[in-house]
Amino acid sequence: MNQTETEANFSDLIAAELPYLRRYTRALTGSQSRGDKYTVATLETILKDRSPFDNDNPVKVNLFKCFHAIWVTSGQQFADPEDSLRGRAQGLLAKLTANSREALLLRTIEEFSLDHIAKIMDTDADEVRRLISAANTELATSVTGRVMIIEDEPIIAADLTAIVSGLGHEVTGVARTHKEAVALGNESGADLILADIQLADNSSGIDAVNDLLEMMDVPVIFITAFPERLLTGDRPEPAFLISKPFHEAQVQSAVSQAMFFASTETLK
């Protein structure tokens, strides 16, 4: 394989993993724009120096490791005005065990093995276990709020309700269609929206959420079988995204992360 082919192959490998790095950086920062800036910074670093990929690790592990090298020196310390919503969220995050959210997201949302997380975070598997345990404990007691669920499958809706309630949050209701979602939002409001992409009667969860966000300023977690379609970075996209089929731990982690960036006074 000549150099041009090698370059093209490497670019293709990186491109295939970029949607998942975007998902991770957005979940860490609670923002598409802020998360995507860190993704771009990671790519710029790789363009200057590809040596971190000169090993036997999977490309995705090396990509996330490159991001973490940037994150630990800049991302974790980003600050906003004290009276801003994100500033309040950062105040909460500052009280958590260092690197615990990162370990939890890498394990639950991105589904890395403990050994791969250890390589990404430049630590060992025992420390990763400790960080994940700390995150689960601290997140569970830090924030509570009211959650609206938009899901047309009764069994999935029941599972989501049980998971959310088990975290100590109140479920305001379950909507099966665009129309029901808007009506529920008008009636009950929410601190967080958990929404499927495809709803009953072929209506769109994205359209429903867009209408809801005109009446409330809250974080949204989308659930989709095709996450890469909502992680291109080319248009307004969600900061929090869960892949179908999902595991309970993924929902728990995403809800807890998103609640930190909620725009209401329910933040403790």
Side-chain angles (χ1 to χ4, degrees), residues 202-215:
N202 293 319
S203 58
S204 166
I206 296 175
D207 290 342
V209 166
N210 285 336
D211 286 347
L212 287 166
L213 292 181
E214 291 182 0
M215 66 179 81

PDB file of all heavy atoms in Angstrom, residues 202-215:
ATOM      1  N   ASN A 202     -46.147   7.730  12.662  1.00  0.00           N
ATOM      2  CA  ASN A 202     -45.032   8.212  11.837  1.00  0.00           C
ATOM      3  C   ASN A 202     -44.636   9.659  12.107  1.00  0.00           C
ATOM      4  O   ASN A 202     -43.982  10.288  11.270  1.00  0.00           O
ATOM      5  CB  ASN A 202     -45.356   8.043  10.346  1.00  0.00           C
ATOM      6  CG  ASN A 202     -45.439   6.581   9.934  1.00  0.00           C
ATOM      7  OD1 ASN A 202     -44.619   5.772  10.369  1.00  0.00           O
ATOM      8  ND2 ASN A 202     -46.437   6.242   9.146  1.00  0.00           N
ATOM      9  N   SER A 203     -45.030  10.198  13.242  1.00  0.00           N
ATOM     10  CA  SER A 203     -44.593  11.550  13.580  1.00  0.00           C
ATOM     11  C   SER A 203     -43.162  11.506  14.093  1.00  0.00           C
ATOM     12  O   SER A 203     -42.634  10.450  14.444  1.00  0.00           O
ATOM     13  CB  SER A 203     -45.521  12.178  14.619  1.00  0.00           C
ATOM     14  OG  SER A 203     -45.581  11.406  15.802  1.00  0.00           O
ATOM     15  N   SER A 204     -42.522  12.660  14.134  1.00  0.00           N
ATOM     16  CA  SER A 204     -41.103  12.743  14.455  1.00  0.00           C
ATOM     17  C   SER A 204     -40.868  13.236  15.878  1.00  0.00           C
ATOM     18  O   SER A 204     -41.399  14.273  16.283  1.00  0.00           O
ATOM     19  CB  SER A 204     -40.407  13.690  13.473  1.00  0.00           C
ATOM     20  OG  SER A 204     -39.127  14.046  13.925  1.00  0.00           O
ATOM     21  N   GLY A 205     -40.040  12.490  16.610  1.00  0.00           N
ATOM     22  CA  GLY A 205     -39.665  12.936  17.941  1.00  0.00           C
ATOM     23  C   GLY A 205     -38.844  14.208  17.894  1.00  0.00           C
ATOM     24  O   GLY A 205     -38.918  15.040  18.796  1.00  0.00           O
ATOM     25  N   ILE A 206     -38.062  14.372  16.839  1.00  0.00           N
ATOM     26  CA  ILE A 206     -37.259  15.587  16.687  1.00  0.00           C
ATOM     27  C   ILE A 206     -38.157  16.801  16.514  1.00  0.00           C
ATOM     28  O   ILE A 206     -37.951  17.854  17.137  1.00  0.00           O
ATOM     29  CB  ILE A 206     -36.296  15.457  15.492  1.00  0.00           C
ATOM     30  CG1 ILE A 206     -35.282  14.339  15.755  1.00  0.00           C
ATOM     31  CG2 ILE A 206     -35.571  16.775  15.228  1.00  0.00           C
ATOM     32  CD1 ILE A 206     -34.359  14.061  14.583  1.00  0.00           C
ATOM     33  N   ASP A 207     -39.181  16.669  15.666  1.00  0.00           N
ATOM     34  CA  ASP A 207     -40.115  17.783  15.471  1.00  0.00           C
ATOM     35  C   ASP A 207     -40.852  18.103  16.761  1.00  0.00           C
ATOM     36  O   ASP A 207     -41.071  19.279  17.088  1.00  0.00           O
ATOM     37  CB  ASP A 207     -41.129  17.428  14.374  1.00  0.00           C
ATOM     38  CG  ASP A 207     -40.498  17.373  12.989  1.00  0.00           C
ATOM     39  OD1 ASP A 207     -39.380  17.926  12.831  1.00  0.00           O
ATOM     40  OD2 ASP A 207     -41.106  16.774  12.082  1.00  0.00           O
ATOM     41  N   ALA A 208     -41.248  17.075  17.480  1.00  0.00           N
ATOM     42  CA  ALA A 208     -41.947  17.288  18.750  1.00  0.00           C
ATOM     43  C   ALA A 208     -41.059  18.048  19.729  1.00  0.00           C
ATOM     44  O   ALA A 208     -41.488  19.000  20.390  1.00  0.00           O
ATOM     45  CB  ALA A 208     -42.375  15.947  19.349  1.00  0.00           C
ATOM     46  N   VAL A 209     -39.794  17.636  19.819  1.00  0.00           N
ATOM     47  CA  VAL A 209     -38.863  18.301  20.733  1.00  0.00           C
ATOM     48  C   VAL A 209     -38.633  19.752  20.320  1.00  0.00           C
ATOM     49  O   VAL A 209     -38.598  20.653  21.162  1.00  0.00           O
ATOM     50  CB  VAL A 209     -37.530  17.529  20.785  1.00  0.00           C
ATOM     51  CG1 VAL A 209     -36.439  18.376  21.438  1.00  0.00           C
ATOM     52  CG2 VAL A 209     -37.711  16.224  21.556  1.00  0.00           C
ATOM     53  N   ASN A 210     -38.479  19.993  19.030  1.00  0.00           N
ATOM     54  CA  ASN A 210     -38.279  21.370  18.568  1.00  0.00           C
ATOM     55  C   ASN A 210     -39.441  22.264  18.971  1.00  0.00           C
ATOM     56  O   ASN A 210     -39.242  23.417  19.375  1.00  0.00           O
ATOM     57  CB  ASN A 210     -38.091  21.396  17.050  1.00  0.00           C
ATOM     58  CG  ASN A 210     -36.722  20.905  16.623  1.00  0.00           C
ATOM     59  OD1 ASN A 210     -35.771  20.959  17.403  1.00  0.00           O
ATOM     60  ND2 ASN A 210     -36.612  20.428  15.399  1.00  0.00           N
ATOM     61  N   ASP A 211     -40.652  21.748  18.884  1.00  0.00           N
ATOM     62  CA  ASP A 211     -41.821  22.527  19.306  1.00  0.00           C
ATOM     63  C   ASP A 211     -41.812  22.740  20.815  1.00  0.00           C
ATOM     64  O   ASP A 211     -42.146  23.818  21.309  1.00  0.00           O
ATOM     65  CB  ASP A 211     -43.111  21.829  18.875  1.00  0.00           C
ATOM     66  CG  ASP A 211     -43.382  21.956  17.386  1.00  0.00           C
ATOM     67  OD1 ASP A 211     -42.709  22.788  16.734  1.00  0.00           O
ATOM     68  OD2 ASP A 211     -44.231  21.213  16.866  1.00  0.00           O
ATOM     69  N   LEU A 212     -41.432  21.706  21.551  1.00  0.00           N
ATOM     70  CA  LEU A 212     -41.388  21.814  23.010  1.00  0.00           C
ATOM     71  C   LEU A 212     -40.339  22.828  23.460  1.00  0.00           C
ATOM     72  O   LEU A 212     -40.547  23.562  24.437  1.00  0.00           O
ATOM     73  CB  LEU A 212     -41.092  20.452  23.631  1.00  0.00           C
ATOM     74  CG  LEU A 212     -42.244  19.442  23.597  1.00  0.00           C
ATOM     75  CD1 LEU A 212     -41.734  18.047  23.927  1.00  0.00           C
ATOM     76  CD2 LEU A 212     -43.337  19.844  24.571  1.00  0.00           C
ATOM     77  N   LEU A 213     -39.214  22.883  22.766  1.00  0.00           N
ATOM     78  CA  LEU A 213     -38.147  23.798  23.165  1.00  0.00           C
ATOM     79  C   LEU A 213     -38.486  25.258  22.903  1.00  0.00           C
ATOM     80  O   LEU A 213     -37.792  26.158  23.371  1.00  0.00           O
ATOM     81  CB  LEU A 213     -36.838  23.426  22.447  1.00  0.00           C
ATOM     82  CG  LEU A 213     -36.225  22.089  22.867  1.00  0.00           C
ATOM     83  CD1 LEU A 213     -34.926  21.831  22.120  1.00  0.00           C
ATOM     84  CD2 LEU A 213     -35.984  22.042  24.374  1.00  0.00           C
ATOM     85  N   GLU A 214     -39.564  25.490  22.170  1.00  0.00           N
ATOM     86  CA  GLU A 214     -40.037  26.856  22.001  1.00  0.00           C
ATOM     87  C   GLU A 214     -40.766  27.352  23.247  1.00  0.00           C
ATOM     88  O   GLU A 214     -40.922  28.557  23.438  1.00  0.00           O
ATOM     89  CB  GLU A 214     -40.965  26.945  20.787  1.00  0.00           C
ATOM     90  CG  GLU A 214     -40.245  26.740  19.462  1.00  0.00           C
ATOM     91  CD  GLU A 214     -41.187  26.881  18.275  1.00  0.00           C
ATOM     92  OE1 GLU A 214     -42.402  27.140  18.509  1.00  0.00           O
ATOM     93  OE2 GLU A 214     -40.717  26.737  17.128  1.00  0.00           O
ATOM     94  N   MET A 215     -41.183  26.405  24.102  1.00  0.00           N
ATOM     95  CA  MET A 215     -41.899  26.782  25.323  1.00  0.00           C
ATOM     96  C   MET A 215     -41.114  26.487  26.592  1.00  0.00           C
ATOM     97  O   MET A 215     -41.503  26.910  27.679  1.00  0.00           O
ATOM     98  CB  MET A 215     -43.257  26.057  25.368  1.00  0.00           C
ATOM     99  CG  MET A 215     -43.167  24.551  25.516  1.00  0.00           C
ATOM    100  SD  MET A 215     -44.803  23.731  25.603  1.00  0.00           S
ATOM    101  CE  MET A 215     -45.245  23.650  23.871  1.00  0.00           C
TER     102      MET A 215
END
